[in-house]
Structures are given as C-alpha cells and as structure tokens.
Amino acid sequence: MIDTEQIDAIIVTASWKSIDEIILPILKYNIPCMIEKPIALTSNKIHKIIDLIKLQDTHIQIGYNRRFYHYTKDIINYINDNPIRSVIAEIPESINLTDIELGQNLWIQNSTHVLDMMKLFFGKYYIINKSLKKFLNNEYYDTFSLLLSTENGFPINIISNWNAPSNFSLSIFFNDTVIKISPLEYACLYKGFDIIEPTVNSPVRKFNPIIEKEFYCSKEFDIFKPGFLNQHRYFFDLMGDKEKADYNPTTLNDILFYSHFIESLYE
C-alpha cells in the first residue's frame, strides 16, 4: 500500500509486540510517522532506528500522550521556580498473571509512561539501589523497590507492586509544598495543614493537607482520551510546517534512555 499510494503520514497503532517487527520497514520510506509505544523492545533495535533516522529528514513522534496533558507546562514552571527535595513514584500495574510475555515486558509496554513523565519533569535519573522479587508468579518479577538519583542530586523512590489495590502516583516534595499526581490525569498542589482537634467521637488529632491549586489533564470534557487531541494536533501541525504548540514530545533519545534504564533494572 505504501508503495502504490500517495501517503502524507503514517500512524502506527499495532499491538505492543508487533511494532518491534514492522518499525524499520516502515521508517525506510521516510514518511512522517506517529508511532504508538513501545516502538521497540530492546535498546539494540532503538539504536538501529536512530541510525536510520539520522539519514532522513522526516518527523517521527512517539505516542506518549501524557506529555500533552494541559497541566504539564504548569508543573514544569513550578519545578523551575522551586527546588525539589525528593520524589516518590508508585507504579502498581495490573496484569493477568498467566501472560508471561507481557509480564516480562510490562515495564517497557506500560510503566514507561511514568518513566517518561519523570524525565519530562526531572531530567535524567539513574538507579542507585534496587530490590526485585517474585511474589505473585515464579516466571517474572512483579515487585520492585528502586532508589534513583537525578543529575540535580535529589532522590526518587519508586515502588511497583503489581496487582496491588493502589493507583499510579507521582509525589514531588518541595520546601513547604507537595505536588501529588494521582491518578496521572489529576494533580494537586498542597501547602500547610488544617488541624482538626480530637473530639469525643474522633479522639485523634487530624492533619489534613490544604489544597492550594488543582491541575487537570484537560481543560474541559473531551470525547478523546486525555492528551490524544493535543498530541495529534502537534504532529499534523509540525508535519504541515505550521506553528506548533509549546510541548516537548518524547524523542527517540528518550526512548533509548528508557530502554537502557529497564535493561539495567533487570541486570
């Protein structure tokens, strides 16, 4: 079809393990591509993609839609104005334990959404200490405790307990405020506490964090998945040489970074 038709762009939305096989033949056509993640399952394949793209002049965009949430620029601006003390990330993941192949690739198939948001907000980070365990299944690891450090020197603690009754979250601690993103479509900036004194019915003092500001992934209700519309507008505007919105889409070098990170996690 690509050989016989006049094609302006290609959007690749194949199953997660299929893209790894078809990506290089598609990219050889030098046609603008929007590619759903994961674009490849190994860093070796990503190196081949990068080497191929270096010889071309087309636009490649990877489908990490959360970078296109409306709140990302607000949080980046806040981080730029306020030094970070530490970060806690929770990546619970939900998986059918009998799907061995997915279990062995779940970090790159889905957990990279959180890794991508972390790199967008904090820059590069590296594993300092790690603990991997097999609690639910003997075929693959399902319990991860990681201590990372960023190039700016603050720590990131990652907890990933698969199939735990929890939610994805990213808590960013500043001097006297906290931004908590949970689930990834909603965030709150907390500052100070409301202290509720003990009563006869509730004999324990309570400290309730005060919400100073709320952030949403979308400005208004949208029939599309959050971030999807902004992501595709960016792609088509760039492809058409129009002035594009101020977003930072995930790059091939970002993808290579995540692949190296996950491979070092399992070493």
Side-chain angles (χ1 to χ4, degrees):
M1 183 181 67
I2 299 175
D3 284 330
T4 59
E5 300 296 330
Q6 185 70 31
I7 294 177
D8 298 316
I10 300 173
I11 299 179
V12 183
T13 57
S15 64
W16 67 267
K17 56 186 175 182
S18 301
I19 298 177
D20 181 85
E21 299 176 1
I22 65 176
I23 186 65
L24 285 174
I26 288 176
L27 292 178
K28 288 178 181 178
Y29 284 92
N30 199 24
I31 296 173
C33 284
M34 164 81 77
I35 310 166
E36 183 56 66
K37 54 86 191 160
I39 68 168
L41 301 180
T42 64
S43 61
N44 182 55
K45 177 63 73 67
I46 298 169
H47 276 295
K48 292 180 180 179
I49 294 171
I50 292 175
D51 289 341
L52 175 61
I53 295 303
K54 285 179 180 177
L55 304 175
Q56 301 177 349
D57 57 359
T58 191
H59 175 56
I60 305 298
Q61 190 169 316
I62 300 99
Y64 283 89
N65 61 296
R66 285 163 177 81
R67 285 202 179 209
F68 292 85
Y69 286 176
H70 285 292
Y71 69 62
T72 55
K73 288 175 283 188
D74 293 327
I75 293 179
I76 289 172
N77 290 335
Y78 191 88
I79 290 172
N80 290 337
D81 294 334
N82 297 272
I84 296 174
R85 300 171 69 180
S86 61
V87 175
I88 299 175
E90 187 170 5
I91 310 175
E93 293 295 3
S94 178
I95 184 173
N96 178 350
L97 299 177
T98 62
D99 192 338
I100 306 301
E101 188 175 18
L102 179 58
Q104 294 170 337
N105 291 280
L106 190 55
W107 269 90
I108 198 161
Q109 189 273 342
N110 194 64
S111 300
T112 44
H113 271 303
V114 179
L115 298 183
D116 187 59
M117 292 190 74
M118 285 167 42
K119 191 167 186 297
L120 174 66
F121 292 147
F122 316 132
K124 291 183 179 179
Y125 44 82
Y126 307 94
I127 297 174
I128 302 299
N129 204 347
K130 62 184 178 180
S131 172
L132 281 64
K133 297 185 182 298
K134 299 176 181 178
F135 272 99
L136 306 179
N137 189 290
N138 290 324
E139 297 294 331
Y140 51 82
Y141 293 105
D142 51 53
T143 303
F144 304 81
S145 297
L146 312 175
L147 174 62
L148 317 180
S149 179
T150 68
E151 291 187 333
N152 291 330
F154 60 82
I156 300 176
N157 291 273
I158 294 182
I159 300 171
S160 184
N161 298 317
W162 295 0
N163 284 4
S166 187
N167 208 334
F168 289 84
S169 68
L170 193 61
S171 298
I172 311 169
F173 294 83
F174 303 91
N175 181 34
D176 60 349
T177 57
V178 177
I179 289 180
K180 184 168 185 179
I181 305 170
S182 184
L184 298 183
E185 288 68 39
Y186 171 74
C188 280
L189 172 65
Y190 296 96
K191 183 173 184 177
F193 294 89
D194 278 330
I195 301 176
I196 302 176
E197 297 296 337
T199 65
V200 173
N201 294 327
S202 181
V204 178
R205 182 179 288 108
K206 297 178 182 178
F207 297 85
N208 293 336
I210 298 172
I211 296 177
E212 186 171 275
K213 188 174 182 180
E214 295 177 284
F215 306 87
Y216 295 94
C217 59
S218 300
K219 291 182 178 178
E220 57 189 17
F221 178 76
D222 199 331
I223 62 173
F224 294 101
K225 182 177 181 179
F228 178 90
L229 195 58
N230 287 340
Q231 182 185 52
H232 283 73
R233 281 175 174 162
Y234 185 98
F235 175 69
F236 288 120
D237 285 349
L238 192 63
M239 189 185 72
D241 294 325
K242 295 181 181 179
E243 183 177 351
K244 59 187 182 299
D246 185 22
Y247 288 100
N248 295 299
T250 305
T251 67
L252 288 173
N253 285 330
D254 291 329
I255 299 297
L256 182 61
F257 176 83
Y258 308 143
S259 184
H260 282 312
F261 178 88
I262 294 168
E263 288 170 356
S264 70
L265 171 63
Y266 282 102
E267 284 179 352

